[in-house]
Amino acid sequence: MDIRKVGVIGAGQMGNGIAHVLAVAGYEVALTDVSADALEAARATIGRNLDRQVSKGALTEDDREAALGRISSTLDLADLGGSDLVIEAATEREDVKHAIFAELTPHLGPETILTSNTSSISITRLAARTDRPEKFMGFHFMNPVPVMQLVELIRGIATDEATFTACSGVVERLGKTASTSEDFPAFIVNRILIPMINEAIYTLYEGVGSVASIDTSMKLGANHPMGPLELADFIGLDTCLSIMNVLHDGLADTKYRPCPLLVKYVEAGWLGRKSQRGFYDYRGETPVPTR
Ligand SMILES: CC(=O)CC(=O)SCCNC(=O)CCNC(=O)[C@H](O)C(C)(C)COP(=O)(O)OP(=O)(O)OC[C@H]1O[C@@H](n2cnc3c(N)ncnc32)[C@H](O)[C@@H]1OP(=O)(O)O
Ligand SMILES: NC(=O)C1=CN([C@@H]2O[C@H](COP(=O)(O)OP(=O)(O)OC[C@H]3O[C@@H](n4cnc5c(N)ncnc54)[C@H](OP(=O)(O)O)[C@@H]3O)[C@@H](O)[C@H]2O)C=CC1
């Protein structure tokens, strides 16, 4: 299938990155969100990240303008009706995703491929509630999207080969590398990464180390580019908690129980960088540990 127009749902940190890389690769992108402010902020972020690429010589000023020109913004899901492919990147809540697909699918042509950027939720379960389980799959980008090389591709039980081939072709055109995961909770990257982050939060909760000592230990002792608590703030603590809950519910093993301290931060609304506070406070010039 020839994919030219792509709809992206959710203009948060993942949605704006996905729109960015698609537009640079020449796709026409319609970006949608429930909030006009989120759409405006996404456009500004995309502009800034394109500027970075221009200043590094990775893109020309003309490429930047052309990419921005390929991205339209809308508050109306119906405007995604002409898409060949839709990538849903809204909040990591299953009820939100089901509601989006229920509202969207009546506007789509029968051939449109529907995908989710979910970090953890069952692709088979999401697909089963749509009118096109065979044309549905997981299309999981990593954060920050313009920088990270990997895309996980996840087939649901009903996904057909044409859908998988079309999505693999998009990954290739983006210049990224696909890995294939079976449809089990949190797939591959997050099955390994998020329990490691949760363990770092337990290490903090039990007083084994401070925020600074845990992050320094993993950066300098294991050569991770970010410490696990810095990375948790970067991903979003709400998203980390949702993923742990999916692992805990889906695999029924106490080793996946979310750390109570993670729950407390989310209940406080301290969601990490996106809310200016998490394991670090980002409101000043430099991030300050909150414990
Ligand atoms: C939760 C899920 O479902 C799955 C996930 O995504 S889990 C999260 C996965 N992501 C990670 O683990 C990220 C770990 N962190 C890193 O790899 C690095 O810290 C980082 C790439 C984010 C930043 O790297 P850094 O060396 O500290 O910063 P910096 O030197 O400023 O940036 C490196 C490059 O990325 C670019 N960059 C950084 N952030 C960017 C962004 N948000 N958008 C676009 N470009 C960006 C920079 O311009 C720079 O480009 P060049 O190499 O061309 O110079
Ligand atoms: N953060 C990460 O590192 C990664 C996240 N993901 C996945 O990507 C998805 C998005 O995550 P992320 O970008 O971090 O989250 P964000 O919180 O940054 O963005 C989510 C966006 O979706 C919007 N939204 C909520 N409900 C709807 C709706 N019904 N229709 C359209 N938009 C809606 C939110 O609006 P509002 O704020 O107004 O609610 C917000 O702008 C999740 O499924 C997450 O698991 C995948 C890879 C990495």
Side-chain angles (χ1 to χ4, degrees):
M1 182 185 183
D2 186 23
I3 291 177
R4 285 187 288 171
K5 292 186 175 179
V6 185
V8 177
I9 303 172
Q13 55 183 339
M14 293 307 291
N16 82 58
I18 294 167
H20 171 143
V21 298
L22 287 166
V24 168
Y27 294 99
E28 292 294 325
V29 181
L31 178 63
T32 181
D33 199 281
V34 280
S35 138
D37 288 350
L39 285 171
E40 208 172 300
R43 224 182 156 74
T45 303
I46 294 168
R48 278 196 305 277
N49 286 332
L50 287 167
D51 284 340
R52 253 186 225 254
Q53 290 173 299
V54 172
S55 66
K56 296 264 162 58
L59 293 180
T60 65
E61 191 58 45
D62 285 352
D63 296 332
R64 177 190 187 277
E65 289 312 305
L68 277 175
R70 287 187 203 104
I71 303 173
S72 60
S73 302
T74 174
L75 286 167
D76 188 356
L77 270 181
D79 291 337
L80 270 55
S83 307
D84 304 309
L85 167 70
V86 173
I87 303 176
E88 173 277 318
T91 310
E92 185 73 346
R93 278 185 35 203
E94 191 165 338
D95 57 337
V96 168
K97 295 185 189 291
H98 285 310
I100 288 171
F101 295 136
E103 190 185 336
L104 172 71
T105 46
H107 301 289
L108 299 179
E111 295 307 317
T112 304
I113 293 174
L114 193 50
T115 67
S116 175
N117 183 53
T118 176
S119 295
S120 61
I121 298 167
S122 164
I123 297 303
T124 300
R125 205 160 62 229
L126 290 175
R129 294 265 295 266
T130 72
D131 60 352
R132 62 194 71 212
E134 69 292 345
K135 300 215 166 302
F136 191 104
M137 63 181 280
F139 204 132
H140 185 212
F141 288 86
M142 305 294 137
N143 186 14
V145 179
V147 180
M148 303 298 281
Q149 186 59 28
L150 188 78
V151 179
E152 277 185 312
L153 293 179
I154 307 109
R155 291 180 178 91
I157 203 166
T159 308
D160 66 23
E161 227 20 62
T163 299
F164 185 82
T165 304
C167 290
S168 304
V170 174
V171 176
E172 203 173 308
R173 184 158 154 200
L174 295 177
K176 296 196 182 287
T177 304
S179 73
T180 308
S181 170
E182 290 297 319
D183 183 23
F184 288 104
F187 321 124
I188 296 174
V189 171
N190 289 333
R191 170 80 176 259
I192 300 168
L193 181 67
I194 306 297
M196 188 273 289
I197 287 175
N198 193 51
E199 198 59 31
I201 302 169
Y202 268 112
T203 309
L204 177 67
Y205 175 65
E206 292 171 6
V208 182
S210 64
V211 168
S213 59
I214 292 166
D215 276 351
T216 302
S217 297
M218 293 307 286
K219 278 197 284 193
L220 303 186
N223 257 6
H224 289 194
M226 286 177 171
L229 301 173
E230 187 188 358
L231 182 56
D233 277 357
F234 183 64
I235 292 169
L237 302 189
D238 52 342
T239 302
C240 292
L241 178 58
S242 295
I243 297 169
M244 285 311 298
N245 281 328
V246 168
L247 282 165
H248 196 221
D249 293 347
L251 298 169
D253 189 327
T254 53
K255 77 178 178 183
Y256 297 113
R257 65 198 190 286
C259 179
L261 187 60
L262 173 60
V263 175
K264 189 194 289 239
Y265 270 76
V266 173
E267 285 174 351
W270 292 18
L271 306 182
R273 281 203 200 173
K274 65 181 162 190
S275 66
Q276 298 273 291
R277 241 185 313 186
F279 292 110
Y280 294 84
D281 186 332
Y282 299 91
R283 290 171 301 171
E285 288 242 312
T286 51
V288 178
T290 52
R291 285 179 103 78

